[in-house]
Amino acid sequence: MKIAVMSCIHGNYEALDAVLLDSDRQKAEKIFCLGDLVGYGPYPNAVVEQIRSLDIPTCAGCWDEDIVEGLNACDCSYPSLLAEKRGKIAHEWTNNEIHSEHREFLSQLPHSLREGNLAFVHGSPHSNHEYLLPELDAYAALERVLSTEADVLFCGHTHVPYVRNLDAGSLQVRVKGEAAEEQSLNFTTSLKRIINVGSVGEPRHGRPNATYVIYDTESQEVNLREVSYDYQKTCAAIIEKGLPPVFAWRLAQGLEFAERADDPTHVCTR
């Protein structure tokens, strides 16, 4: 079976529509979403409505939690006071824009999903706010997958897609008890995978194209999809609706937070 997995739509309806059309062309039989339906983008209600209408299994993202539980729910850090100010503006705008029934829908999203030997989370199994970066220590990365009792862990949150194979091997843990007697625990694990699906609505891989994944459950083939769409329409809507213009610039560039709106070469990491 072919499944589509997407994340981090961030109120970008144009990008979501393009990804749904592409997944249909790829003959995906089921779609999973890893959260962050809202935040930064101009169409939070349209995005939530589309996900609801298609009955797409969805995890809660950190922005979804933020809108439900309040501004302090998201413990993501900002690179500067200016970036933090922009983030608060986006939160306040989205909080005022979102319909009550859509807020209720976001409040009911689970932390994780499971399908056979596949697990789905927004950030990591431990927290929606944890970034599973490709350079994460191999032991820590393996622990994240093993904690789900699955073979493949799908995640988002970083907005940059990647596939990481954790090769089969043996692990040994030594435990020293109160009597100073040391015990060794040995176990082996088969091949595990972390698949980051990137971002539909706010990609940060250097291009404005939406990204998501098509995964074949039989062949285990991973297809990192990159889909073009009319991102300029979304950029215009960001400015028109009063969101910080730098969000439009960042979307067009496919980059991280810009520290200063007048200096597009200066980019910081959130």
Side-chain angles (χ1 to χ4, degrees):
M1 177 175 68
K2 282 186 177 181
I3 64 170
V5 189
M6 60 184 178
S7 185
C8 305
I9 303 169
H10 286 297
N12 189 337
Y13 183 80
E14 298 294 329
L16 172 61
D17 190 49
V19 165
L20 290 174
L21 289 173
D22 189 74
S23 67
D24 187 56
R25 286 191 291 266
Q26 297 299 313
K27 302 186 185 305
E29 300 173 57
K30 194 168 184 178
I31 304 173
F32 292 88
C33 180
L34 309 184
D36 270 8
L37 306 186
V38 303
Y40 302 127
Y43 302 115
N45 289 304
V47 166
V48 176
E49 183 60 35
Q50 183 73 296
I51 295 295
R52 291 182 66 187
S53 66
L54 296 175
D55 198 23
I56 295 174
T58 302
C59 302
C62 56
W63 263 92
D64 306 322
E65 286 184 350
D66 192 30
I67 293 303
V68 171
E69 300 178 13
L71 184 60
N72 293 328
C74 180
D75 58 7
C76 297
S77 60
Y78 291 90
S80 69
L81 292 176
L82 179 58
E84 183 176 6
K85 180 179 179 181
R86 291 168 180 156
K88 288 182 177 179
I89 291 172
H91 167 82
E92 292 171 2
W93 183 91
T94 305
N95 192 48
N96 291 329
E97 186 79 5
I98 197 77
H99 295 162
S100 58
E101 65 270 24
H102 294 157
R103 193 192 306 273
E104 177 64 20
F105 173 79
L106 295 178
S107 72
Q108 297 176 9
L109 295 177
H111 173 74
S112 63
L113 296 167
R114 185 69 181 266
E115 177 90 357
N117 69 333
L118 312 177
F120 306 86
V121 298
H122 175 70
S124 87
H126 297 340
S127 169
N128 284 337
H129 311 293
E130 182 180 21
Y131 292 88
L132 295 186
L133 300 171
E135 63 269 21
L136 179 68
D137 175 79
Y139 186 88
L142 183 59
E143 185 278 330
R144 300 302 188 271
V145 184
L146 291 175
S147 69
T148 67
E149 299 183 352
D151 294 325
V152 183
L153 175 62
F154 290 90
C155 62
H157 194 41
T158 69
H159 293 215
V160 179
Y162 69 83
V163 178
R164 183 173 183 182
N165 294 323
L166 300 164
D167 294 335
S170 299
L171 295 176
Q172 183 181 72
V173 180
R174 293 183 177 179
V175 181
K176 183 172 289 188
E178 294 181 359
E181 294 181 359
E182 192 173 83
Q183 293 181 320
S184 293
L185 305 176
N186 298 280
F187 66 93
T188 60
T189 178
S190 58
L191 176 68
K192 304 293 182 182
R193 269 177 157 177
I194 295 177
I195 301 175
N196 192 303
V197 302
S199 172
V200 170
E202 201 199 39
R204 298 178 187 173
H205 64 297
R207 293 178 295 279
N209 298 333
T211 64
Y212 80 106
V213 160
I214 293 288
Y215 181 78
D216 191 314
T217 59
E218 294 183 8
S219 67
Q220 301 180 23
E221 178 183 359
V222 183
N223 184 357
L224 298 176
R225 302 288 299 167
E226 190 169 334
V227 183
S228 62
Y229 70 99
D230 187 3
Y231 66 87
Q232 293 180 340
K233 184 176 180 180
T234 300
C235 291
I238 287 173
I239 297 172
E240 178 185 345
K241 290 180 178 290
L243 287 160
V246 71
F247 293 165
W249 177 87
R250 186 178 63 191
L251 175 61
Q253 302 298 316
L255 297 173
E256 300 275 357
F257 263 95
E259 179 70 12
R260 300 193 302 271
D262 61 344
D263 182 5
T265 63
H266 189 95
V267 177
C268 289
T269 300
R270 179 183 178 187

